[in-house]
Amino acid sequence: ILIVGFILIFIMPSFVDIFGQLGAELPALTLFLVNASKVMTSWKALLVVGAVVMLIIIFKIINGTREGKHFFDRFKLRMPVFGTLFQKVAIARFAGTLSTLITSGVPILQALDIVRDTSGNEVIARAMDKVYQSVKDGESIHEPLRHCPVFPPLVCHMVAVGEETGAIDQMLTKVAEAYEQDVDNTVDALTSILEPVMIVFLGAIVGVIVVALYLPLFNIPKAI
C-alpha cells in the first residue's frame, strides 16, 4: 500500500505532465493510474481517507455489540484456510484455560464463567453459556459442546472421557497441547506459503504499474 501510494502521489504526476506534453493517446490501464493519481493528489483523497476512517469506526461500533461480535467471529471461523486456524486457536485457548483453572482448584462454575469472559471469541462464549447452564443443572460439560460446531467430535469425546474418569483437567491439558502444536505447525506452513505469494503479488503490482507508465511511450511516433 505504501509503495503504490508513493508511486501515485510522487512519481505519477511527473509522468502525467510528460503525457500531456506528448499528446499521445493513453491506454486504458495508464488512464486508470492517471485518474487514481489525480484523486490521491487532490482534496478527494481526504474523502477517501474519511470513508476508510468511517468504515473502521462503524466496524468498531458493530463489533462492540455482542450480536455484531458473534457475526464477525462466526465469519472468521468460516473463512477458507484461516478459519481452521482460528478454530484451533479457540479450542486450544478454551481447553488450556479451563484445565489450568480446574487444576488450581477453582470451582467448575466459576471456571466456566472465566473461560467465557476470556475466550476472545463470541461463538465460544455462547457455547460456554450453555455449558455453564448444563453444569448448573447437574448435567455434563461435553453434551452442550456436541451442539457447537466449533468443537470437533474428538474433543467432545475426550471431555466426556475426562468427566467419566474424573480426570477432566488432564484430558483438557492433552487437548490444549495437541491443538497448540497443531496451531504452530499450521502457522509455519501458512508462513512458508504466504511469503513467496506476497513477494510475487507485490512484484506483479509494481510490474503492472511500470508497464502502464511506459505503454504511452510506444505511441510517441504516432503523436509525432
Side-chain angles (χ1 to χ4, degrees):
I1 293 173
L2 291 176
I3 291 174
V4 173
F6 178 81
I7 292 175
L8 293 179
I9 294 174
F10 296 102
I11 298 179
M12 198 66 196
S14 301
F15 279 85
V16 172
D17 295 337
I18 296 174
F19 297 154
Q21 294 173 5
L22 292 176
E25 183 180 354
L26 299 180
L29 184 59
T30 307
L31 191 61
F32 172 80
L33 287 179
V34 169
N35 292 331
S37 176
K38 290 180 179 179
V39 171
M40 293 292 291
T41 55
S42 68
W43 61 270
K44 295 179 181 179
L46 296 177
L47 294 179
V48 176
V49 174
V52 172
V53 172
M54 186 62 66
L55 288 175
I56 294 175
I57 293 174
I58 292 174
F59 171 78
K60 291 287 186 181
I61 293 174
I62 295 176
N63 197 47
T65 64
R66 191 168 186 185
E67 288 299 325
K69 184 170 176 54
H70 180 259
F71 172 80
F72 287 118
D73 286 343
R74 187 173 57 180
F75 172 76
K76 287 194 299 184
L77 293 173
R78 294 180 177 178
M79 289 175 61
V81 182
F82 292 99
T84 303
L85 179 61
F86 290 136
Q87 179 188 18
K88 292 174 181 177
V89 170
I91 293 174
R93 181 180 298 176
F94 151 77
T97 305
L98 186 56
S99 172
T100 301
L101 292 171
I102 294 176
T103 304
S104 302
V106 178
I108 185 64
L109 289 177
Q110 185 179 352
L112 291 172
D113 201 29
I114 294 173
V115 170
R116 177 185 59 194
D117 296 335
T118 60
S119 64
N121 188 295
E122 188 60 29
V123 178
I124 298 291
R126 294 195 176 193
M128 289 303 99
D129 285 337
K130 297 178 181 179
V131 174
Y132 182 93
Q133 191 60 45
S134 176
V135 174
K136 189 176 181 181
D137 295 339
E139 299 177 2
S140 65
I141 295 176
H142 71 275
E143 193 58 38
L145 296 181
R146 296 185 188 276
H147 302 289
C148 181
V150 178
F151 296 97
L154 179 60
V155 174
C156 298
H157 177 71
M158 292 185 69
V159 173
V161 171
E163 285 185 289
E164 293 174 1
T165 59
I168 187 171
D169 55 336
Q170 298 177 16
M171 284 297 181
L172 287 171
T173 299
K174 292 180 179 180
V175 171
E177 291 174 350
Y179 274 88
E180 286 171 0
Q181 183 62 45
D182 204 0
V183 166
D184 291 338
N185 295 336
T186 303
V187 170
D188 291 340
L190 288 176
T191 302
S192 63
I193 295 174
L194 283 177
E195 285 178 353
V197 169
M198 290 178 65
I199 292 174
V200 171
F201 180 71
L202 180 59
I205 290 178
V206 175
V208 168
I209 292 176
V210 171
V211 170
L213 291 178
Y214 283 95
L215 273 177
L217 300 181
F218 294 103
N219 294 329
I220 291 178
K222 296 180 181 179
I224 294 175

